[in-house]
Amino acid sequence: GGGGELGALDAADGRQIWRTNILQDASASNRQWGMAGSPLIVDGNVVVTPGGSGGRSVIAYDAATGRRAWSALDDRASYSSPMLVRLGGEGQILLFTGERLLGLTTDGARVLWEYPWVTSPDVNASQPIVIGGNRVFVSTGYGKGAAVIELTGDGNGFAVREVWRNIRMKNQFTSSVLHEGFIYGLDESILACIDAATGELKWKFRPSKHSEIYCSPATDGALLFVVTRAESKEHGMPSLVALHLK
């Protein structure tokens, strides 16, 4: 939960198997808007990101017992969730911390690569997107923008090359989606489409001058779905809008 509570329940009867508080375990302070990242199950462990110092920024708990299996890093926490991905042919945990984007071995033993990314006012909240087998898209709001990086194996990890970087997409607290080479997401509160290969802006869309889009878009492959609401929160119900992708 937002206060750092983590636990396991029996799916059959709801009985609590174990619980802990990840902030207390990591001796970490909570973020301004609370813990927001979802847990990740990897190799029988539950991986979470409390953001503690002393090698406790990332903690893995045994899924069956709740005992700490390993911990790593000293990064500040973000609002993003850890992801299990395969990049450059190697399985790894993709982390978007409060300081950087990085790949961590699934046992937490080693950082495979990193790409610095600090946002003022310290809000990295979106989920990165893996493009193909060796590229990653990252974006944040508050004027920071977006970038695509490319990873190349160098024998001891991966070298990182910045493919492009601009301010055409700024995911403040939402995440983008990738479809057939194009990235669809919110440039702050305006829906935008950019070319994943070049970062070129293809189009922008706002339902009306008196409404805004306030959640991550979703696609079924043919349509792009977004939820809108009136700028005056007291008036009107949220509306579902569907756009043709072709």
Side-chain angles (χ1 to χ4, degrees):
E5 289 295 311
L6 176 70
L9 303 178
D10 190 308
D13 57 17
R15 175 177 54 87
Q16 185 178 79
I17 300 171
W18 57 264
R19 64 162 295 278
T20 190
N21 186 290
I22 66 174
L23 292 173
Q24 293 176 7
D25 286 352
S27 298
S29 300
N30 205 348
R31 299 304 317 273
Q32 180 180 0
W33 306 109
M35 291 280 97
S38 300
L40 173 69
I41 306 296
V42 181
D43 298 334
N45 294 321
V46 183
V47 179
V48 292
T49 53
S53 59
R56 291 174 294 179
S57 175
V58 183
I59 299 179
Y61 296 93
D62 184 285
T65 66
R67 296 190 183 94
R68 187 187 300 181
W70 55 261
S71 63
L73 309 182
D74 300 304
D75 294 45
R76 297 191 309 276
S78 71
Y79 299 97
S80 184
S81 302
M83 301 167 61
L84 182 62
V85 303
R86 193 166 190 84
L87 286 166
E90 185 165 347
Q92 54 194 271
I93 300 173
L94 179 60
L95 294 163
F96 190 23
T97 74
E99 304 172 24
R100 54 183 173 164
L101 185 69
L102 65 95
L104 184 69
T105 55
T106 55
D107 62 359
R110 187 162 58 94
V111 173
L112 297 168
W113 59 271
E114 63 177 328
Y115 179 64
W117 193 275
V118 177
T119 303
S120 177
D122 195 23
V123 177
N124 290 344
S126 65
Q127 293 301 120
I129 297 175
V130 173
I131 304 172
N134 67 337
R135 289 189 175 187
V136 183
F137 166 83
V138 63
S139 177
T140 52
Y142 305 99
K144 183 71 172 183
V148 165
I149 60 171
E150 184 175 87
L151 307 179
T152 304
D154 62 6
N156 192 38
F158 296 89
V160 178
R161 179 178 74 89
E162 190 174 89
V163 178
W164 59 261
R165 183 170 180 167
N166 61 38
I167 56 170
R168 297 300 186 185
M169 185 71 77
K170 298 182 287 293
N171 294 163
Q172 183 175 346
F173 63 90
T174 60
S175 299
S176 295
V177 294
L178 174 70
H179 178 68
E180 295 185 353
F182 295 95
I183 295 170
Y184 303 87
L186 296 192
D187 183 22
E188 300 292 357
S189 62
I190 300 175
L191 185 64
C193 171
I194 60 174
D195 188 315
T198 66
E200 177 187 0
L201 177 67
K202 308 306 289 186
W203 52 258
K204 299 184 80 169
F205 169 80
R206 186 173 184 176
S208 75
K209 65 179 181 179
H210 298 299
S211 65
E212 62 181 358
I213 302 170
Y214 69 103
C215 70
S216 300
T219 180
D220 65 355
L223 297 173
L224 185 71
F225 300 94
V226 293
V227 176
T228 69
R229 67 180 176 188
E231 287 187 334
S232 176
K233 310 301 187 298
E234 295 79 15
H235 300 93
M237 295 291 291
S239 300
L240 179 65
V241 177
L243 295 84
H244 284 284
L245 290 174
K246 293 183 179 180

